[in-house]
Amino acid sequence: MFEPVIQEETTGCGIASVANILGKTYSQMKASANAMGIYADDKSLWSNTQYVRQMLSAADVKTSTEEIHFETWSAMPNLALLAIKHHQEEGKDFWHWVVFKRIDGKAFVLDSASYLPTNIRTDFDDMHPKWFIEVMVS
């Protein structure tokens, strides 16, 4: 298998999720993000989809133009950025970024949170996605 990237900062889930998609380490992805003016301590990293799209686009990875409402796990594409732990603070939407992946028909979620016992998750009933961004890799 592979080793999922763990976020090294409390608010680094977007950077770690993109690193998981691109096969980079957290520090490599953080350096790339910082060079683009994207920093983990910027709260909008987990309240705005533009930053993860920008990091993927810089690596020539295409994404769906819109966020797609989550319906069922079986309806998910083979690769997607997924918004879980959706909540509001002062009227603004926030979430935790994770990566949904399906390989050879087996679905799992790469969750970069450092407090989890395992970062490759299949406990689908415990995650409550609101929407996702499809990631197209050639």
Side-chain angles (χ1 to χ4, degrees), residues 57-133:
S57 178
D60 291 324
V61 174
K62 295 190 181 343
T63 59
S64 56
T65 53
E66 302 292 321
E67 291 79 54
I68 303 163
H69 181 74
F70 177 85
E71 298 289 337
T72 64
W73 291 104
S74 60
M76 289 291 293
N78 287 335
L79 184 59
L81 277 164
L82 194 59
I84 66 171
K85 296 185 182 175
H86 190 271
H87 63 286
Q88 285 198 330
E89 290 176 21
E90 299 170 11
K92 194 169 183 147
D93 292 320
F94 288 92
W95 55 84
H96 174 62
W97 286 116
V98 296
V99 177
F100 175 86
K101 214 166 188 176
R102 188 181 294 109
I103 298 174
D104 298 330
K106 291 183 173 57
F108 56 93
V109 167
L110 298 172
D111 189 331
S112 63
S114 59
Y115 57 81
L116 292 170
T118 179
N119 298 93
I120 300 174
R121 297 181 62 179
T122 54
D123 56 334
F124 299 114
D125 290 342
D126 293 338
M127 293 178 272
H128 304 284
K130 182 145 180 126
W131 47 263
F132 64 92
I133 298 170

Coordinates of all heavy atoms in Angstrom, one line a residue, residues 57-133:
S57 N -4.1 22.6 -9.7 CA -3.9 23.2 -11.0 C -2.4 23.5 -11.4 O -2.0 23.3 -12.5 CB -4.7 24.5 -11.1 OG -4.5 25.1 -12.4
A58 N -1.7 23.9 -10.4 CA -0.3 24.1 -10.5 C 0.5 22.9 -10.9 O 1.5 22.9 -11.5 CB 0.3 24.8 -9.3
A59 N -0.1 21.7 -10.6 CA 0.5 20.4 -10.9 C -0.2 19.8 -12.1 O -0.1 18.6 -12.4 CB 0.4 19.5 -9.7
D60 N -0.9 20.7 -12.9 CA -1.7 20.2 -14.1 C -2.7 19.2 -13.8 O -2.9 18.3 -14.6 CB -0.7 19.8 -15.2 CG 0.1 20.9 -15.7 OD1 -0.4 22.0 -15.9 OD2 1.3 20.7 -16.1
V61 N -3.3 19.2 -12.6 CA -4.4 18.3 -12.3 C -5.7 19.0 -12.4 O -5.8 20.1 -11.7 CB -4.2 17.7 -10.9 CG1 -5.3 16.8 -10.4 CG2 -2.9 16.9 -10.8
K62 N -6.6 18.5 -13.1 CA -7.9 19.1 -13.3 C -8.9 18.7 -12.3 O -8.9 17.6 -11.8 CB -8.5 18.8 -14.7 CG -7.6 19.4 -15.8 CD -8.3 19.2 -17.2 CE -7.6 19.7 -18.3 NZ -6.5 20.6 -18.2
T63 N -9.8 19.6 -11.9 CA -10.9 19.3 -10.9 C -12.2 19.7 -11.5 O -12.3 20.5 -12.5 CB -10.7 20.1 -9.6 OG1 -10.7 21.5 -9.9 CG2 -9.4 19.7 -9.0
S64 N -13.3 19.2 -10.9 CA -14.6 19.7 -11.3 C -14.7 21.2 -11.1 O -14.1 21.7 -10.1 CB -15.7 18.9 -10.6 OG -15.5 19.0 -9.2
T65 N -15.5 21.9 -11.9 CA -15.6 23.3 -11.7 C -16.4 23.7 -10.5 O -16.3 24.8 -9.9 CB -16.1 24.0 -13.0 OG1 -17.3 23.4 -13.3 CG2 -15.1 23.9 -14.1
E66 N -17.4 22.9 -10.2 CA -18.3 23.1 -9.1 C -18.1 22.1 -8.0 O -17.6 21.0 -8.2 CB -19.7 23.1 -9.5 CG -20.1 24.0 -10.7 CD -20.0 25.5 -10.2 OE1 -20.4 25.8 -9.1 OE2 -19.5 26.3 -11.0
E67 N -18.5 22.4 -6.8 CA -18.6 21.4 -5.7 C -19.8 20.6 -6.0 O -20.9 21.1 -6.4 CB -18.8 22.1 -4.3 CG -17.5 22.9 -3.9 CD -17.4 24.2 -4.5 OE1 -18.3 25.0 -4.4 OE2 -16.3 24.5 -5.1
I68 N -19.7 19.3 -5.8 CA -20.8 18.4 -6.1 C -21.4 17.8 -4.8 O -20.7 17.3 -4.0 CB -20.3 17.2 -7.0 CG1 -19.6 17.8 -8.3 CG2 -21.4 16.2 -7.3 CD1 -18.7 16.8 -9.0
H69 N -22.7 18.0 -4.7 CA -23.4 17.5 -3.5 C -23.2 16.0 -3.3 O -23.4 15.2 -4.2 CB -24.9 17.9 -3.6 CG -25.7 17.5 -2.3 ND1 -25.6 18.1 -1.1 CD2 -26.5 16.4 -2.1 CE1 -26.3 17.5 -0.2 NE2 -26.9 16.5 -0.8
F70 N -22.8 15.6 -2.1 CA -22.6 14.2 -1.8 C -23.9 13.5 -1.7 O -24.9 14.0 -1.0 CB -21.9 14.1 -0.4 CG -21.7 12.6 0.0 CD1 -20.6 11.9 -0.5 CD2 -22.6 12.0 0.8 CE1 -20.5 10.5 -0.1 CE2 -22.4 10.7 1.2 CZ -21.4 10.0 0.7
E71 N -24.1 12.4 -2.4 CA -25.3 11.6 -2.4 C -25.0 10.2 -1.6 O -25.6 10.0 -0.6 CB -25.8 11.3 -3.8 CG -26.2 12.5 -4.6 CD -27.5 13.2 -4.0 OE1 -28.3 12.5 -3.4 OE2 -27.6 14.4 -4.3
T72 N -24.1 9.4 -2.2 CA -23.8 8.1 -1.6 C -22.3 7.8 -1.9 O -21.7 8.4 -2.8 CB -24.6 7.0 -2.3 OG1 -24.3 6.9 -3.6 CG2 -26.1 7.2 -2.1
W73 N -21.8 6.9 -1.1 CA -20.4 6.6 -1.3 C -20.2 5.9 -2.6 O -19.2 6.1 -3.3 CB -19.9 5.7 -0.1 CG -19.8 6.4 1.2 CD1 -20.6 6.4 2.2 CD2 -18.8 7.4 1.5 NE1 -20.2 7.3 3.2 CE2 -19.1 7.9 2.8 CE3 -17.6 7.9 0.9 CZ2 -18.3 8.8 3.4 CZ3 -16.9 8.8 1.5 CH2 -17.2 9.3 2.8
S74 N -21.2 5.0 -3.0 CA -21.0 4.3 -4.3 C -21.1 5.2 -5.5 O -20.6 4.8 -6.5 CB -22.1 3.2 -4.4 OG -23.4 3.8 -4.3
A75 N -21.7 6.4 -5.4 CA -21.8 7.3 -6.5 C -20.6 8.2 -6.6 O -20.5 9.0 -7.5 CB -23.0 8.2 -6.3
M76 N -19.6 8.1 -5.7 CA -18.4 8.9 -5.7 C -17.5 8.5 -6.9 O -17.4 7.4 -7.3 CB -17.6 8.7 -4.5 CG -18.2 9.3 -3.2 SD -18.2 11.1 -3.2 CE -16.5 11.4 -3.1
P77 N -16.8 9.5 -7.5 CA -15.9 9.2 -8.6 C -14.7 8.5 -7.9 O -14.6 8.4 -6.7 CB -15.5 10.6 -9.1 CG -15.7 11.5 -7.9 CD -16.8 10.9 -7.2
N78 N -13.7 8.0 -8.7 CA -12.6 7.3 -8.2 C -11.6 8.1 -7.4 O -10.9 7.6 -6.6 CB -11.8 6.6 -9.3 CG -12.6 5.4 -9.9 OD1 -13.4 4.8 -9.2 ND2 -12.4 5.0 -11.1
L79 N -11.6 9.4 -7.6 CA -10.7 10.3 -6.8 C -11.4 11.6 -6.6 O -12.0 12.2 -7.5 CB -9.4 10.5 -7.6 CG -8.3 11.4 -6.9 CD1 -7.9 10.7 -5.6 CD2 -7.1 11.5 -7.8
A80 N -11.5 12.1 -5.3 CA -12.1 13.4 -5.0 C -11.6 13.9 -3.7 O -11.2 13.2 -2.8 CB -13.6 13.1 -4.9
L81 N -11.6 15.3 -3.7 CA -11.4 16.0 -2.4 C -12.8 16.0 -1.8 O -13.8 16.4 -2.4 CB -10.9 17.4 -2.6 CG -9.5 17.5 -2.9 CD1 -9.1 18.9 -3.5 CD2 -8.7 17.4 -1.5
L82 N -12.9 15.7 -0.5 CA -14.2 15.5 0.2 C -14.2 16.4 1.4 O -13.2 16.5 2.1 CB -14.3 14.1 0.6 CG -15.6 13.5 1.0 CD1 -16.7 13.6 -0.1 CD2 -15.4 12.0 1.4
A83 N -15.3 17.2 1.6 CA -15.5 18.1 2.7 C -16.3 17.3 3.8 O -17.4 17.0 3.6 CB -16.2 19.3 2.3
I84 N -15.6 17.0 4.9 CA -16.3 16.4 6.1 C -16.2 17.4 7.3 O -15.5 18.4 7.2 CB -15.8 15.0 6.4 CG1 -14.3 15.1 6.9 CG2 -15.9 14.1 5.2 CD1 -13.8 13.8 7.5
K85 N -16.9 17.1 8.3 CA -16.9 17.9 9.6 C -17.3 19.3 9.2 O -16.7 20.3 9.8 CB -15.5 17.9 10.2 CG -15.1 16.5 10.8 CD -13.8 16.6 11.5 CE -13.4 15.3 12.0 NZ -12.0 15.3 12.6
H86 N -18.3 19.4 8.4 CA -18.8 20.7 8.0 C -19.5 21.4 9.2 O -20.2 20.8 9.9 CB -19.8 20.6 6.8 CG -20.2 21.8 6.2 ND1 -21.2 22.6 6.6 CD2 -19.6 22.5 5.2 CE1 -21.3 23.7 5.9 NE2 -20.4 23.7 5.0
H87 N -19.1 22.7 9.4 CA -19.7 23.5 10.5 C -19.6 25.0 10.1 O -19.0 25.3 9.1 CB -19.0 23.2 11.8 CG -17.6 23.6 11.8 ND1 -16.6 22.9 11.2 CD2 -17.0 24.6 12.4 CE1 -15.4 23.5 11.4 NE2 -15.6 24.5 12.1
Q88 N -20.3 25.8 10.9 CA -20.3 27.2 10.7 C -19.7 27.9 11.9 O -19.9 27.5 13.0 CB -21.7 27.7 10.4 CG -22.1 27.4 9.0 CD -23.3 28.3 8.6 OE1 -24.1 28.8 9.4 NE2 -23.4 28.5 7.2
E89 N -18.9 28.9 11.6 CA -18.4 29.8 12.7 C -18.7 31.2 12.2 O -18.3 31.6 11.1 CB -16.9 29.6 12.9 CG -16.5 28.3 13.5 CD -15.0 28.1 13.6 OE1 -14.2 29.1 13.5 OE2 -14.5 27.0 13.7
E90 N -19.4 32.0 13.0 CA -19.8 33.4 12.7 C -20.4 33.5 11.3 O -20.0 34.4 10.5 CB -18.5 34.3 12.9 CG -18.0 34.3 14.3 CD -16.7 35.0 14.4 OE1 -16.2 35.7 13.4 OE2 -16.1 34.9 15.5
G91 N -21.2 32.5 11.0 CA -21.9 32.5 9.7 C -21.1 32.1 8.5 O -21.6 32.1 7.4
K92 N -19.9 31.7 8.7 CA -19.0 31.2 7.6 C -18.8 29.7 7.7 O -18.7 29.1 8.7 CB -17.6 31.9 7.8 CG -16.8 31.8 6.6 CD -15.6 32.7 6.7 CE -14.8 32.6 5.4 NZ -14.1 33.8 5.0
D93 N -18.8 29.1 6.5 CA -18.7 27.6 6.4 C -17.2 27.2 6.6 O -16.4 27.8 6.0 CB -19.2 27.1 5.0 CG -20.7 27.2 4.9 OD1 -21.4 27.0 5.9 OD2 -21.2 27.6 3.8
F94 N -17.0 26.1 7.3 CA -15.7 25.5 7.5 C -15.9 24.0 7.4 O -17.0 23.5 7.6 CB -15.1 25.8 8.9 CG -14.7 27.3 9.0 CD1 -15.5 28.2 9.5 CD2 -13.4 27.6 8.6 CE1 -15.1 29.5 9.6 CE2 -13.0 29.0 8.8 CZ -13.9 29.9 9.3
W95 N -14.8 23.3 7.0 CA -14.8 21.9 6.9 C -13.4 21.3 7.0 O -12.4 22.1 7.1 CB -15.4 21.4 5.6 CG -14.7 22.1 4.4 CD1 -13.6 21.6 3.8 CD2 -15.1 23.3 3.7 NE1 -13.2 22.5 2.8 CE2 -14.1 23.5 2.7 CE3 -16.1 24.2 3.9 CZ2 -14.2 24.6 1.9 CZ3 -16.2 25.3 3.0 CH2 -15.2 25.5 2.0
H96 N -13.3 20.0 7.1 CA -12.0 19.3 7.1 C -11.9 18.6 5.7 O -12.8 17.9 5.3 CB -12.0 18.3 8.2 CG -10.8 17.4 8.3 ND1 -9.5 17.9 8.5 CD2 -10.7 16.1 8.2 CE1 -8.7 16.9 8.5 NE2 -9.4 15.8 8.3
W97 N -10.7 18.8 5.1 CA -10.5 18.2 3.8 C -9.9 16.8 4.0 O -9.0 16.5 4.7 CB -9.4 18.9 3.0 CG -9.8 20.2 2.4 CD1 -9.3 21.5 2.7 CD2 -10.7 20.5 1.3 NE1 -9.9 22.4 1.9 CE2 -10.8 21.8 1.0 CE3 -11.5 19.6 0.6 CZ2 -11.6 22.4 0.1 CZ3 -12.3 20.1 -0.4 CH2 -12.4 21.5 -0.7
V98 N -10.5 15.8 3.2 CA -10.0 14.5 3.1 C -10.0 14.1 1.6 O -10.6 14.8 0.8 CB -10.8 13.4 4.0 CG1 -10.7 13.8 5.4 CG2 -12.3 13.4 3.5
V99 N -9.4 12.9 1.3 CA -9.3 12.5 0.0 C -10.0 11.1 -0.1 O -9.7 10.2 0.6 CB -7.8 12.3 -0.5 CG1 -7.8 11.7 -1.9 CG2 -7.1 13.6 -0.5
F100 N -11.0 11.1 -1.0 CA -11.7 9.8 -1.3 C -11.0 9.2 -2.5 O -10.7 9.8 -3.5 CB -13.2 10.0 -1.7 CG -13.9 8.8 -2.1 CD1 -14.4 7.9 -1.2 CD2 -13.9 8.4 -3.4 CE1 -15.1 6.8 -1.5 CE2 -14.6 7.2 -3.8 CZ -15.1 6.4 -2.9
K101 N -10.7 7.9 -2.4 CA -10.0 7.2 -3.4 C -10.7 5.8 -3.6 O -11.0 5.1 -2.6 CB -8.6 7.0 -3.0 CG -7.6 7.1 -4.2 CD -6.2 7.3 -3.7 CE -5.3 7.5 -4.8 NZ -3.9 7.8 -4.5
R102 N -10.7 5.3 -4.9 CA -11.2 4.0 -5.2 C -10.1 3.3 -6.1 O -9.8 3.9 -7.1 CB -12.5 4.0 -5.8 CG -13.1 2.6 -6.0 CD -14.5 2.6 -6.7 NE -15.6 3.3 -5.9 CZ -16.1 4.4 -6.2 NH1 -15.7 5.1 -7.3 NH2 -17.1 4.9 -5.5
I103 N -9.6 2.2 -5.6 CA -8.6 1.5 -6.4 C -9.0 0.1 -6.5 O -9.3 -0.6 -5.5 CB -7.2 1.6 -5.7 CG1 -6.7 3.0 -5.6 CG2 -6.2 0.7 -6.4 CD1 -5.4 3.2 -4.8
D104 N -9.1 -0.4 -7.7 CA -9.6 -1.8 -8.0 C -10.9 -2.1 -7.3 O -11.1 -3.2 -6.7 CB -8.5 -2.8 -7.5 CG -7.2 -2.7 -8.3 OD1 -7.3 -2.3 -9.5 OD2 -6.1 -2.9 -7.8
G105 N -11.8 -1.1 -7.3 CA -13.1 -1.3 -6.7 C -13.2 -1.2 -5.2 O -14.2 -1.2 -4.6
K106 N -12.0 -1.0 -4.5 CA -12.0 -0.8 -3.1 C -11.9 0.7 -2.7 O -11.0 1.4 -3.2 CB -10.8 -1.5 -2.5 CG -10.9 -3.0 -2.5 CD -9.7 -3.6 -1.9 CE -9.8 -5.1 -1.7 NZ -10.0 -5.9 -3.0
A107 N -12.9 1.2 -2.0 CA -13.0 2.6 -1.6 C -12.4 2.8 -0.2 O -12.6 2.0 0.7 CB -14.5 3.0 -1.6
F108 N -11.8 4.0 -0.1 CA -11.3 4.4 1.2 C -11.1 5.9 1.2 O -11.1 6.5 0.2 CB -10.0 3.6 1.6 CG -8.9 3.8 0.6 CD1 -7.9 4.8 0.7 CD2 -8.8 2.9 -0.5 CE1 -6.9 5.0 -0.3 CE2 -7.8 3.1 -1.5 CZ -6.9 4.1 -1.4
V109 N -10.9 6.4 2.4 CA -10.6 7.8 2.6 C -9.3 8.0 3.3 O -9.0 7.4 4.2 CB -11.8 8.5 3.4 CG1 -11.4 9.9 3.9 CG2 -13.1 8.5 2.7
L110 N -8.5 8.9 2.7 CA -7.2 9.3 3.3 C -7.5 10.6 4.1 O -7.8 11.6 3.6 CB -6.2 9.6 2.2 CG -5.8 8.5 1.3 CD1 -4.9 9.0 0.2 CD2 -5.1 7.4 2.1
D111 N -7.4 10.4 5.4 CA -7.7 11.5 6.4 C -6.4 11.9 7.0 O -5.8 11.1 7.7 CB -8.7 11.1 7.4 CG -9.2 12.2 8.2 OD1 -8.5 13.2 8.5 OD2 -10.4 12.1 8.7
S112 N -5.9 13.1 6.9 CA -4.6 13.5 7.3 C -4.6 13.9 8.8 O -3.5 14.3 9.3 CB -4.1 14.7 6.5 OG -5.0 15.8 6.7
A113 N -5.7 13.8 9.5 CA -5.7 14.2 10.9 C -4.7 13.4 11.7 O -4.7 12.2 11.7 CB -7.1 14.1 11.5
S114 N -3.9 14.1 12.5 CA -2.8 13.4 13.3 C -3.3 12.5 14.4 O -2.7 11.6 14.9 CB -1.8 14.4 13.8 OG -2.4 15.3 14.6
Y115 N -4.5 12.8 14.9 CA -5.1 12.1 16.1 C -5.8 10.8 15.8 O -6.1 10.1 16.7 CB -6.1 13.1 16.9 CG -7.2 13.5 16.0 CD1 -8.3 12.7 15.8 CD2 -7.2 14.8 15.4 CE1 -9.4 13.1 14.9 CE2 -8.2 15.2 14.5 CZ -9.3 14.3 14.3 OH -10.3 14.8 13.5
L116 N -5.9 10.5 14.5 CA -6.6 9.2 14.2 C -5.7 8.0 14.4 O -4.5 8.0 14.2 CB -7.0 9.3 12.7 CG -8.1 10.3 12.3 CD1 -8.2 10.4 10.8 CD2 -9.4 9.9 13.0
P117 N -6.3 6.9 14.8 CA -5.6 5.6 15.0 C -5.0 5.1 13.6 O -4.0 4.5 13.6 CB -6.6 4.6 15.6 CG -7.9 5.2 15.4 CD -7.7 6.7 15.2
T118 N -5.8 5.3 12.6 CA -5.3 5.0 11.2 C -5.8 6.1 10.3 O -6.9 6.6 10.5 CB -5.8 3.6 10.7 OG1 -5.3 3.4 9.4 CG2 -7.3 3.5 10.7
N119 N -5.0 6.5 9.3 CA -5.3 7.5 8.4 C -5.9 7.0 7.1 O -6.3 7.8 6.2 CB -4.1 8.4 8.1 CG -3.6 9.0 9.4 OD1 -2.8 8.5 10.1 ND2 -4.2 10.2 9.8
I120 N -6.0 5.7 7.0 CA -6.7 5.1 5.8 C -8.1 4.6 6.4 O -8.1 3.7 7.1 CB -5.9 4.0 5.2 CG1 -4.6 4.5 4.7 CG2 -6.8 3.3 4.1 CD1 -3.7 3.4 4.2
R121 N -9.1 5.4 6.1 CA -10.4 5.1 6.7 C -11.4 4.4 5.8 O -11.5 4.7 4.6 CB -11.0 6.5 7.2 CG -10.2 7.2 8.2 CD -10.8 8.5 8.6 NE -12.1 8.3 9.3 CZ -12.9 9.3 9.7 NH1 -12.5 10.6 9.6 NH2 -14.0 9.0 10.3
T122 N -12.1 3.5 6.4 CA -13.2 2.8 5.7 C -14.5 2.9 6.6 O -15.5 2.2 6.3 CB -12.9 1.4 5.4 OG1 -12.5 0.7 6.6 CG2 -11.8 1.3 4.4
D123 N -14.4 3.7 7.7 CA -15.6 3.8 8.5 C -16.6 4.9 8.0 O -16.8 5.9 8.5 CB -15.1 4.2 10.0 CG -14.3 5.5 10.0 OD1 -13.6 5.8 9.0 OD2 -14.3 6.2 11.0
F124 N -17.1 4.5 6.8 CA -17.9 5.5 6.0 C -19.1 6.1 6.8 O -19.5 7.2 6.6 CB -18.4 4.9 4.7 CG -17.2 4.5 3.8 CD1 -17.0 3.1 3.5 CD2 -16.3 5.4 3.3 CE1 -15.9 2.8 2.7 CE2 -15.3 5.1 2.5 CZ -15.0 3.8 2.2
D125 N -19.7 5.3 7.7 CA -20.9 5.7 8.4 C -20.5 6.8 9.4 O -21.4 7.6 9.9 CB -21.6 4.6 9.1 CG -22.3 3.6 8.2 OD1 -22.5 4.0 7.0 OD2 -22.6 2.5 8.6
D126 N -19.2 6.9 9.8 CA -18.8 7.9 10.8 C -18.4 9.2 10.1 O -18.2 10.2 10.8 CB -17.6 7.4 11.6 CG -17.9 6.2 12.5 OD1 -19.1 6.0 12.8 OD2 -17.0 5.4 12.8
M127 N -18.3 9.2 8.8 CA -18.0 10.5 8.1 C -19.2 11.0 7.5 O -20.1 10.3 7.0 CB -16.9 10.2 7.0 CG -15.6 9.8 7.6 SD -14.4 9.4 6.3 CE -14.7 7.7 6.0
H128 N -19.4 12.3 7.6 CA -20.6 12.9 7.1 C -20.3 14.0 6.0 O -20.3 15.2 6.3 CB -21.5 13.5 8.2 CG -21.8 12.5 9.3 ND1 -22.7 11.5 9.1 CD2 -21.2 12.2 10.5 CE1 -22.7 10.7 10.2 NE2 -21.8 11.1 11.0
P129 N -20.0 13.5 4.8 CA -19.6 14.5 3.8 C -20.8 15.4 3.4 O -21.9 15.0 3.4 CB -19.2 13.6 2.6 CG -19.1 12.2 3.1 CD -20.0 12.2 4.3
K130 N -20.4 16.6 3.1 CA -21.5 17.5 2.6 C -21.4 17.6 1.0 O -22.4 17.6 0.4 CB -21.2 18.9 3.2 CG -22.3 19.9 2.8 CD -22.6 20.8 3.9 CE -23.6 21.9 3.5 NZ -24.7 21.9 4.3
W131 N -20.2 17.7 0.5 CA -19.9 17.8 -0.9 C -18.5 17.4 -1.2 O -17.7 17.2 -0.3 CB -20.2 19.2 -1.4 CG -19.6 20.3 -0.6 CD1 -20.3 21.1 0.4 CD2 -18.3 20.8 -0.6 NE1 -19.4 22.0 0.9 CE2 -18.2 21.8 0.3 CE3 -17.2 20.5 -1.4 CZ2 -17.0 22.5 0.5 CZ3 -16.0 21.2 -1.2 CH2 -15.9 22.2 -0.2
F132 N -18.2 17.4 -2.5 CA -16.9 17.0 -3.0 C -16.5 17.7 -4.2 O -17.3 18.3 -4.9 CB -16.7 15.4 -3.1 CG -17.6 14.9 -4.2 CD1 -17.1 14.7 -5.5 CD2 -18.9 14.5 -4.0 CE1 -17.9 14.2 -6.5 CE2 -19.7 14.0 -5.0 CZ -19.2 13.8 -6.3
I133 N -15.2 17.6 -4.5 CA -14.6 18.2 -5.8 C -14.0 17.0 -6.5 O -13.1 16.3 -5.9 CB -13.5 19.2 -5.5 CG1 -14.1 20.4 -4.8 CG2 -12.9 19.6 -6.8 CD1 -13.1 21.4 -4.3

